[in-house]
Amino acid sequence: MRIKRNHPLAIKDHPVTAQRQLLLDILREASSHLDAKALYQRALERDRHISLATVYRNLRLFKELGLVDEIRLDEIHCCYEIKRSTEHYHLLCTSCGNVIEFKSSLIAKLVAEVEHNYDFKANRAVLHLEGYCQKCKKR
Amino acid sequence: MRIKRNHPLAIKDHPVTAQRQLLLDILREASSHLDAKALYQRALERDRHISLATVYRNLRLFKELGLVDEIRLDEIHCCYEIKRSTEHYHLLCTSCGNVIEFKSSLIAKLVAEVEHNYDFKANRAVLHLEGYCQKCKKR
DNA sequence: TTAAGTGCAAAGGCTTTGCAGCATA
DNA sequence: TATGCTGCAAAGCCTTTGCACTTAA
C-alpha cells in the first residue's frame, strides 16, 4: 500500500495503527497547541475506546521520531504540535492564556555566541516569553 | 528585634519561622541549584522534623515574594535559587546533568525586538539551552 | 504468523491540602 | 492572645507501566 509505505511512521518501521493515524490527524488539524488531555478528548469524539495511555505512549513516540514538538510553557501548560519546517518560539499571554508564535534571527546569533563563550554544544533552545498580548496590554 | 524587622519575610508581613530561616539559609549557601527534594534532604540534616509540605509551601511563598527564582528545565528538573541582582539563564548538559549559568546582552535585544514586532509586553523570558558541556562534548 | 500496539487498571512521582496542634508577633 | 505556620497523612494530578488481548505487516 503506497500510502502507508510513505507514511512517516512506516518509514521509521513503526506500524500505522488507527489510533496513531487519528492522533496525527488531530494534531495536524489543530489550529492551536494541544496538551495530552485536550488531544485525548478530541480523539474520544472519533474513537470512543481510545485510552489516555495510548495518547501518552504515542506522543512520546512522535516526539522521539521528531514528528511533534513538545512545548513546556510551565508546570501546567505542556503542549504538543506537529513539527513544521520553520523554527519558531512562543509568546504566552499570562492574562488570557493566548499562545502566539514568533521568530527572530537573533536567536541563532544568541545560541552561536553562547556556544562560543561557554564552550557548549547546544542541541536545543527552550525559549518563550510571558507577558501581555496586544489586547491585554491595553487594559 | 532589629534583625527580624529587616528580614525579607518580616518586611512583607510574614512570620520568620525557624523552618523558613533554615530553608533560606540552605538556598543561600547552595552552590548549585536545588530542587524541592534536595532542599528537603539538606534541611532534614539540621531539623529532623521538618516536613516536605513545609518545603513546598515555603518555596511557593518565597517565589511569590520574589525571594527565589523557579527554574523549570524540563518535567523532572525543577529547581530553585536565591534571586540575585544579575539576571542570568542556564545551560543544561543532557549528558552529565550539569547546570551552567550564562548571560548575554543579546537577550535584552531579542526581547525588545519581539515586543516591537509582535506588539507584546514581556514580563519574563524563559530561556535555557540543552546540549553538551565542555567535558561531555569532547566524547 | 509474530512482533508490536492497545485498553484497562494500578502504580509512580511530584505537589497540594485538611486538620489539629503549636509558635510568632 | 490571635493569626498564621507546621507536621502528618491523605488526596490530586499528570504520566507511566504490567498484563492479557488484539492488530498491522
Side-chain angles (χ1 to χ4, degrees):
Chain A
M1 296 175 66
R2 189 157 296 146
I3 291 169
K4 290 209 173 166
R5 192 172 297 161
N6 289 330
H7 195 286
L9 289 173
I11 288 167
K12 306 197 181 181
D13 280 330
H14 288 274
V16 184
T17 65
Q19 291 90 337
R20 286 176 178 168
Q21 190 64 65
L22 173 59
L23 294 173
L24 286 172
D25 285 347
I26 294 170
L27 285 166
R28 284 203 198 91
E29 292 164 12
S31 55
S32 64
H33 311 79
L34 299 175
D35 61 14
K37 204 169 140 195
L39 177 58
Y40 172 58
Q41 280 164 346
R42 292 207 192 181
L44 270 184
E45 293 169 10
R46 300 197 221 166
D47 174 355
R48 278 173 303 151
H49 297 292
I50 197 168
S51 81
L52 189 53
T54 295
V55 171
Y56 277 110
R57 276 191 283 237
N58 284 315
L59 278 176
R60 187 160 51 166
L61 174 69
F62 299 162
K63 199 169 50 171
E64 283 166 8
L65 297 181
L67 298 178
V68 305
D69 277 323
E70 181 184 76
I71 302 128
R72 177 166 287 273
L73 293 174
D74 61 42
E75 52 262 65
I76 51 169
H77 287 78
C78 181
C79 56
Y80 299 86
E81 64 180 29
I82 284 285
K83 191 172 276 185
R84 285 166 291 168
S85 53
T86 57
E87 190 172 67
H88 64 273
Y89 297 89
H90 298 88
L91 305 174
L92 170 64
C93 178
T94 51
S95 171
C96 69
N98 193 16
V99 177
I100 303 148
E101 297 178 2
F102 77 91
K103 295 180 207 176
S104 168
S105 59
L106 284 176
I107 297 167
K109 274 189 198 166
L110 169 70
V111 171
E113 184 195 273
V114 171
E115 283 189 317
H116 175 262
N117 290 349
Y118 293 83
D119 201 5
F120 190 82
K121 169 71 187 107
N123 296 323
R124 194 167 83 102
V126 174
L127 169 63
H128 61 265
L129 304 183
E130 292 177 11
Y132 297 118
C133 69
Q134 190 172 27
K135 276 180 287 179
C136 296
K137 78 177 199 182
K138 284 177 187 161
R139 292 175 211 163
Chain B
M1 295 175 64
R2 188 159 296 147
I3 293 169
K4 290 208 175 168
R5 192 174 295 160
N6 290 330
H7 196 285
L9 288 173
I11 288 167
K12 306 197 181 181
D13 279 331
H14 290 272
V16 184
T17 65
Q19 291 90 338
R20 286 175 179 170
Q21 191 63 65
L22 173 59
L23 293 174
L24 285 173
D25 285 346
I26 294 170
L27 286 166
R28 282 203 200 93
E29 292 164 12
S31 55
S32 63
H33 311 78
L34 299 175
D35 61 15
K37 204 169 140 195
L39 177 58
Y40 171 60
Q41 281 165 346
R42 292 207 192 180
L44 269 183
E45 292 169 11
R46 300 197 221 168
D47 174 354
R48 278 172 303 152
H49 298 292
I50 197 168
S51 81
L52 189 53
T54 295
V55 172
Y56 277 109
R57 276 191 283 239
N58 285 315
L59 278 176
R60 187 160 52 166
L61 175 69
F62 299 161
K63 198 169 52 173
E64 284 166 6
L65 297 180
L67 298 178
V68 306
D69 277 323
E70 181 183 77
I71 302 129
R72 177 165 286 273
L73 294 174
D74 62 41
E75 53 262 63
I76 53 169
H77 287 78
C78 181
C79 57
Y80 299 85
E81 63 179 28
I82 284 284
K83 192 173 275 185
R84 285 166 290 168
S85 53
T86 56
E87 190 172 66
H88 64 273
Y89 297 89
H90 298 87
L91 305 174
L92 170 64
C93 178
T94 52
S95 170
C96 68
N98 192 18
V99 177
I100 303 149
E101 296 178 2
F102 77 91
K103 295 179 205 175
S104 168
S105 58
L106 284 176
I107 298 167
K109 273 190 198 165
L110 169 68
V111 171
E113 184 195 275
V114 172
E115 283 189 318
H116 176 262
N117 290 349
Y118 293 84
D119 202 4
F120 191 82
K121 170 71 187 106
N123 296 323
R124 193 167 85 101
V126 174
L127 168 63
H128 60 265
L129 304 184
E130 292 177 11
Y132 298 117
C133 70
Q134 190 171 25
K135 276 179 288 180
C136 295
K137 78 178 200 181
K138 284 178 188 160
R139 293 176 209 162

